[in-house]
Amino acid sequence: MKNIILTGDRPTGQLHLGHYVGSLKNRVKMQADLENELFIMIADMQALTDNAKNPEKVSSNVLQVALDYLAVGLDPKRSTLFIQSQIPELAELTMYYLNLVSVGRVRRNPTVKSEIEQKKFGESVPTGFFIYPVSQAADITAFKANLVPVGEDQKPMLEQTQEIVQSFNHTYGDVLVEPKGVFPEKGQGRLPGIDGNGKMSKSLGNGIYLADSADVLAKKVMSMYTDPNHIHVEDPGQVEGNMVFTYLDVFGTDKEKIAELKEHYRRGGLGDVKIKRYLIDVLEAEFGPIRARREEYAKDPEAIMEMLKGGSEKAQAVAAKTLSEVKQAMGINYFN
Ligand code: TRP
């Protein structure tokens, strides 16, 4: 069956290894299946909902995210890469969807709720931020996506979208497609940061970025959280909660060697520097070529913007068609 897949990222920073294992790798895999049509969106409009006073942070990261996409192998010939703000149809759809969603319903969204708490917004939460799940429903439905691969935290957005689709179709007639969320398999979704404190994230400053040089990557691995009680090489060490082994489990291909290293580490006599050197090799094997491609693409930013322009035009044509069907169903297509 042909799938229409839509997903995206807020351009608030460069993408890191957490993004890579949690979503980018899977997108590249889906792209390889010719039955799949992919729309990959740089969600700058959504990023602006809590960065209104700092638009430069958002706009400057659009190119960075696009470079990350290309570097990991998303191919503009196969997937439509586009910028959300360049598709005004999405804002228009949002306005109509907002009428189908109560304030009480928006307030109950657990992800938005915890973000409001985290950011200490209280009553001064920007309205645009408060209702971004509705705008996300517009992103998804504009392309009639049936699959939306996202992280676990995006489950409430999918539920909200499904409700809007049901309400719209029930009220105005069958126009919209109800999407399904595709969530990472157990244990795949969340890569912890190098400090072992929760997931890798920009705000925690515990990330390894796709754009990091070989030097920076090596330094970050050397500073990784291991076993604080493993003081002398001879000491028995703990593998559980040791970020070097956590990362080896995620990125390593030689499972036998990793099992041996774990054994040795537990027994004692295997130093942190040794296992860190091995992890550096493992990461370089996967991310060295990605970094090299990124550097190549970064030489010609104009070509990247040109590619995004083409993708945005293509995306806009699709969204315009859906919007026209939406307006027709609502009976507000006065002039045609
Ligand atoms: N909320 C998503 C995130 O923070 C980004 C996003 C915006 C998105 N619109 C979307 C994801 C539509 C999937 C579908 O990562």
Side-chain angles (χ1 to χ4, degrees), residues 6-10 41 43 46 84 132 136 139-140 148-150 154 157:
L6 178 122
T7 190
D9 304 277
R10 297 182 195 180
M41 181 179 73
Q46 188 174 108
Q84 186 184 28
Y132 87 73
Q136 197 159 329
D139 301 335
I140 295 167
V148 182
V150 278
Q154 299 292 303
M157 315 310 163

PDB file of all heavy atoms in Angstrom, residues 6-10 41 43 46 84 132 136 139-140 148-150 154 157, ligand 1:
ATOM      1  N   LEU A   6       4.299  12.095   6.881  1.00  0.00           N
ATOM      2  CA  LEU A   6       4.729  13.449   7.190  1.00  0.00           C
ATOM      3  C   LEU A   6       5.360  13.476   8.575  1.00  0.00           C
ATOM      4  O   LEU A   6       4.844  12.885   9.518  1.00  0.00           O
ATOM      5  CB  LEU A   6       3.558  14.443   7.182  1.00  0.00           C
ATOM      6  CG  LEU A   6       4.050  15.858   7.569  1.00  0.00           C
ATOM      7  CD1 LEU A   6       3.742  16.873   6.502  1.00  0.00           C
ATOM      8  CD2 LEU A   6       3.542  16.294   8.920  1.00  0.00           C
ATOM      9  N   THR A   7       6.496  14.160   8.647  1.00  0.00           N
ATOM     10  CA  THR A   7       7.081  14.409   9.960  1.00  0.00           C
ATOM     11  C   THR A   7       7.972  15.639   9.876  1.00  0.00           C
ATOM     12  O   THR A   7       8.136  16.207   8.800  1.00  0.00           O
ATOM     13  CB  THR A   7       7.842  13.184  10.501  1.00  0.00           C
ATOM     14  OG1 THR A   7       8.184  13.422  11.864  1.00  0.00           O
ATOM     15  CG2 THR A   7       9.076  12.857   9.685  1.00  0.00           C
ATOM     16  N   GLY A   8       8.491  16.054  10.999  1.00  0.00           N
ATOM     17  CA  GLY A   8       9.314  17.253  10.962  1.00  0.00           C
ATOM     18  C   GLY A   8       9.994  17.537  12.279  1.00  0.00           C
ATOM     19  O   GLY A   8       9.831  16.812  13.257  1.00  0.00           O
ATOM     20  N   ASP A   9      10.755  18.610  12.273  1.00  0.00           N
ATOM     21  CA  ASP A   9      11.523  19.015  13.446  1.00  0.00           C
ATOM     22  C   ASP A   9      11.461  20.527  13.599  1.00  0.00           C
ATOM     23  O   ASP A   9      11.450  21.254  12.612  1.00  0.00           O
ATOM     24  CB  ASP A   9      13.000  18.604  13.267  1.00  0.00           C
ATOM     25  CG  ASP A   9      13.144  17.115  12.993  1.00  0.00           C
ATOM     26  OD1 ASP A   9      13.137  16.345  13.954  1.00  0.00           O
ATOM     27  OD2 ASP A   9      13.217  16.730  11.803  1.00  0.00           O
ATOM     28  N   ARG A  10      11.457  20.957  14.863  1.00  0.00           N
ATOM     29  CA  ARG A  10      11.565  22.402  15.113  1.00  0.00           C
ATOM     30  C   ARG A  10      13.014  22.826  14.909  1.00  0.00           C
ATOM     31  O   ARG A  10      13.920  22.220  15.515  1.00  0.00           O
ATOM     32  CB  ARG A  10      11.189  22.704  16.564  1.00  0.00           C
ATOM     33  CG  ARG A  10       9.771  22.364  16.920  1.00  0.00           C
ATOM     34  CD  ARG A  10       9.530  22.766  18.362  1.00  0.00           C
ATOM     35  NE  ARG A  10       8.315  22.149  18.873  1.00  0.00           N
ATOM     36  CZ  ARG A  10       7.855  22.334  20.108  1.00  0.00           C
ATOM     37  NH1 ARG A  10       8.522  23.102  20.937  1.00  0.00           N
ATOM     38  NH2 ARG A  10       6.749  21.763  20.500  1.00  0.00           N
ATOM     39  N   MET A  41       9.249  18.196   7.151  1.00  0.00           N
ATOM     40  CA  MET A  41       8.987  19.615   7.349  1.00  0.00           C
ATOM     41  C   MET A  41       9.908  20.230   8.394  1.00  0.00           C
ATOM     42  O   MET A  41      10.066  19.692   9.494  1.00  0.00           O
ATOM     43  CB  MET A  41       7.533  19.765   7.798  1.00  0.00           C
ATOM     44  CG  MET A  41       7.110  21.177   8.031  1.00  0.00           C
ATOM     45  SD  MET A  41       5.379  21.225   8.523  1.00  0.00           S
ATOM     46  CE  MET A  41       5.539  20.597  10.169  1.00  0.00           C
ATOM     47  N   ALA A  43       9.844  22.769  10.948  1.00  0.00           N
ATOM     48  CA  ALA A  43       8.684  23.403  11.589  1.00  0.00           C
ATOM     49  C   ALA A  43       9.073  24.725  12.240  1.00  0.00           C
ATOM     50  O   ALA A  43       9.037  24.876  13.463  1.00  0.00           O
ATOM     51  CB  ALA A  43       8.067  22.447  12.598  1.00  0.00           C
ATOM     52  N   GLN A  46       6.160  26.480  14.172  1.00  0.00           N
ATOM     53  CA  GLN A  46       5.967  25.926  15.515  1.00  0.00           C
ATOM     54  C   GLN A  46       7.099  26.359  16.447  1.00  0.00           C
ATOM     55  O   GLN A  46       6.867  26.666  17.611  1.00  0.00           O
ATOM     56  CB  GLN A  46       5.872  24.396  15.469  1.00  0.00           C
ATOM     57  CG  GLN A  46       5.491  23.824  16.805  1.00  0.00           C
ATOM     58  CD  GLN A  46       5.246  22.319  16.753  1.00  0.00           C
ATOM     59  OE1 GLN A  46       6.035  21.550  17.257  1.00  0.00           O
ATOM     60  NE2 GLN A  46       4.149  21.903  16.153  1.00  0.00           N
ATOM     61  N   GLN A  84       7.916  25.038   6.894  1.00  0.00           N
ATOM     62  CA  GLN A  84       6.512  25.212   7.300  1.00  0.00           C
ATOM     63  C   GLN A  84       5.970  26.621   7.018  1.00  0.00           C
ATOM     64  O   GLN A  84       4.872  26.765   6.492  1.00  0.00           O
ATOM     65  CB  GLN A  84       6.411  24.914   8.807  1.00  0.00           C
ATOM     66  CG  GLN A  84       5.009  24.914   9.367  1.00  0.00           C
ATOM     67  CD  GLN A  84       5.024  24.705  10.882  1.00  0.00           C
ATOM     68  OE1 GLN A  84       5.984  25.057  11.568  1.00  0.00           O
ATOM     69  NE2 GLN A  84       3.963  24.119  11.397  1.00  0.00           N
ATOM     70  N   TYR A 132      -0.467  24.952  19.615  1.00  0.00           N
ATOM     71  CA  TYR A 132       0.337  24.359  18.544  1.00  0.00           C
ATOM     72  C   TYR A 132      -0.083  22.941  18.154  1.00  0.00           C
ATOM     73  O   TYR A 132       0.096  22.537  16.999  1.00  0.00           O
ATOM     74  CB  TYR A 132       1.847  24.514  18.814  1.00  0.00           C
ATOM     75  CG  TYR A 132       2.517  23.448  19.641  1.00  0.00           C
ATOM     76  CD1 TYR A 132       2.756  22.180  19.112  1.00  0.00           C
ATOM     77  CD2 TYR A 132       2.968  23.707  20.927  1.00  0.00           C
ATOM     78  CE1 TYR A 132       3.395  21.199  19.870  1.00  0.00           C
ATOM     79  CE2 TYR A 132       3.599  22.744  21.684  1.00  0.00           C
ATOM     80  CZ  TYR A 132       3.805  21.496  21.149  1.00  0.00           C
ATOM     81  OH  TYR A 132       4.432  20.532  21.894  1.00  0.00           O
ATOM     82  N   GLN A 136      -0.393  21.607  14.408  1.00  0.00           N
ATOM     83  CA  GLN A 136       0.252  20.360  13.992  1.00  0.00           C
ATOM     84  C   GLN A 136      -0.740  19.452  13.260  1.00  0.00           C
ATOM     85  O   GLN A 136      -0.366  18.724  12.338  1.00  0.00           O
ATOM     86  CB  GLN A 136       0.849  19.663  15.210  1.00  0.00           C
ATOM     87  CG  GLN A 136       1.859  18.616  14.838  1.00  0.00           C
ATOM     88  CD  GLN A 136       2.805  18.275  15.983  1.00  0.00           C
ATOM     89  OE1 GLN A 136       3.120  19.111  16.834  1.00  0.00           O
ATOM     90  NE2 GLN A 136       3.262  17.051  16.013  1.00  0.00           N
ATOM     91  N   ASP A 139      -0.652  20.614   9.794  1.00  0.00           N
ATOM     92  CA  ASP A 139       0.547  20.104   9.098  1.00  0.00           C
ATOM     93  C   ASP A 139       0.283  18.702   8.546  1.00  0.00           C
ATOM     94  O   ASP A 139       0.630  18.378   7.409  1.00  0.00           O
ATOM     95  CB  ASP A 139       1.744  19.984  10.052  1.00  0.00           C
ATOM     96  CG  ASP A 139       2.129  21.296  10.707  1.00  0.00           C
ATOM     97  OD1 ASP A 139       1.826  22.353  10.127  1.00  0.00           O
ATOM     98  OD2 ASP A 139       2.731  21.245  11.799  1.00  0.00           O
ATOM     99  N   ILE A 140      -0.306  17.891   9.395  1.00  0.00           N
ATOM    100  CA  ILE A 140      -0.460  16.469   9.054  1.00  0.00           C
ATOM    101  C   ILE A 140      -1.552  16.274   8.007  1.00  0.00           C
ATOM    102  O   ILE A 140      -1.367  15.584   7.006  1.00  0.00           O
ATOM    103  CB  ILE A 140      -0.765  15.652  10.332  1.00  0.00           C
ATOM    104  CG1 ILE A 140       0.443  15.699  11.283  1.00  0.00           C
ATOM    105  CG2 ILE A 140      -1.145  14.212   9.989  1.00  0.00           C
ATOM    106  CD1 ILE A 140       0.151  15.206  12.692  1.00  0.00           C
ATOM    107  N   VAL A 148       2.610   9.095  10.626  1.00  0.00           N
ATOM    108  CA  VAL A 148       3.392  10.190  11.200  1.00  0.00           C
ATOM    109  C   VAL A 148       4.401   9.605  12.184  1.00  0.00           C
ATOM    110  O   VAL A 148       4.059   9.307  13.327  1.00  0.00           O
ATOM    111  CB  VAL A 148       2.473  11.209  11.912  1.00  0.00           C
ATOM    112  CG1 VAL A 148       3.288  12.364  12.474  1.00  0.00           C
ATOM    113  CG2 VAL A 148       1.400  11.735  10.963  1.00  0.00           C
ATOM    114  N   PRO A 149       5.643   9.396  11.734  1.00  0.00           N
ATOM    115  CA  PRO A 149       6.661   8.860  12.644  1.00  0.00           C
ATOM    116  C   PRO A 149       7.182   9.962  13.561  1.00  0.00           C
ATOM    117  O   PRO A 149       7.737  10.955  13.088  1.00  0.00           O
ATOM    118  CB  PRO A 149       7.770   8.364  11.698  1.00  0.00           C
ATOM    119  CG  PRO A 149       7.411   8.864  10.331  1.00  0.00           C
ATOM    120  CD  PRO A 149       6.140   9.632  10.381  1.00  0.00           C
ATOM    121  N   VAL A 150       6.980   9.796  14.848  1.00  0.00           N
ATOM    122  CA  VAL A 150       7.389  10.806  15.832  1.00  0.00           C
ATOM    123  C   VAL A 150       7.774  10.135  17.143  1.00  0.00           C
ATOM    124  O   VAL A 150       7.543   8.949  17.329  1.00  0.00           O
ATOM    125  CB  VAL A 150       6.250  11.812  16.133  1.00  0.00           C
ATOM    126  CG1 VAL A 150       6.175  12.900  15.088  1.00  0.00           C
ATOM    127  CG2 VAL A 150       4.918  11.099  16.281  1.00  0.00           C
ATOM    128  N   GLN A 154       4.977  12.882  21.293  1.00  0.00           N
ATOM    129  CA  GLN A 154       4.066  13.466  20.304  1.00  0.00           C
ATOM    130  C   GLN A 154       2.740  12.710  20.212  1.00  0.00           C
ATOM    131  O   GLN A 154       1.885  13.040  19.393  1.00  0.00           O
ATOM    132  CB  GLN A 154       4.732  13.494  18.923  1.00  0.00           C
ATOM    133  CG  GLN A 154       6.001  14.330  18.868  1.00  0.00           C
ATOM    134  CD  GLN A 154       5.704  15.796  19.028  1.00  0.00           C
ATOM    135  OE1 GLN A 154       4.938  16.385  18.277  1.00  0.00           O
ATOM    136  NE2 GLN A 154       6.292  16.409  20.056  1.00  0.00           N
ATOM    137  N   MET A 157      -0.361  14.774  20.301  1.00  0.00           N
ATOM    138  CA  MET A 157      -0.595  15.562  19.080  1.00  0.00           C
ATOM    139  C   MET A 157      -1.338  14.711  18.053  1.00  0.00           C
ATOM    140  O   MET A 157      -2.204  15.191  17.336  1.00  0.00           O
ATOM    141  CB  MET A 157       0.725  16.044  18.469  1.00  0.00           C
ATOM    142  CG  MET A 157       1.722  16.623  19.437  1.00  0.00           C
ATOM    143  SD  MET A 157       1.015  17.866  20.522  1.00  0.00           S
ATOM    144  CE  MET A 157       2.272  17.918  21.778  1.00  0.00           C
TER     145      MET A 157
HETATM  146  N1  TRP B   1       6.215  18.850  17.304  1.00  0.00           N
HETATM  147  C1  TRP B   1       7.260  18.248  16.543  1.00  0.00           C
HETATM  148  C2  TRP B   1       8.527  18.266  17.383  1.00  0.00           C
HETATM  149  O1  TRP B   1       8.643  19.075  18.283  1.00  0.00           O
HETATM  150  C3  TRP B   1       7.529  18.946  15.223  1.00  0.00           C
HETATM  151  C4  TRP B   1       6.345  18.947  14.309  1.00  0.00           C
HETATM  152  C5  TRP B   1       5.625  20.029  13.917  1.00  0.00           C
HETATM  153  C6  TRP B   1       5.745  17.820  13.720  1.00  0.00           C
HETATM  154  N2  TRP B   1       4.621  19.658  13.093  1.00  0.00           N
HETATM  155  C7  TRP B   1       4.651  18.308  12.948  1.00  0.00           C
HETATM  156  C8  TRP B   1       5.992  16.444  13.759  1.00  0.00           C
HETATM  157  C9  TRP B   1       3.825  17.449  12.250  1.00  0.00           C
HETATM  158  C10 TRP B   1       5.161  15.589  13.066  1.00  0.00           C
HETATM  159  C11 TRP B   1       4.073  16.086  12.309  1.00  0.00           C
HETATM  160  O2  TRP B   1       9.417  17.491  17.143  1.00  0.00           O
END
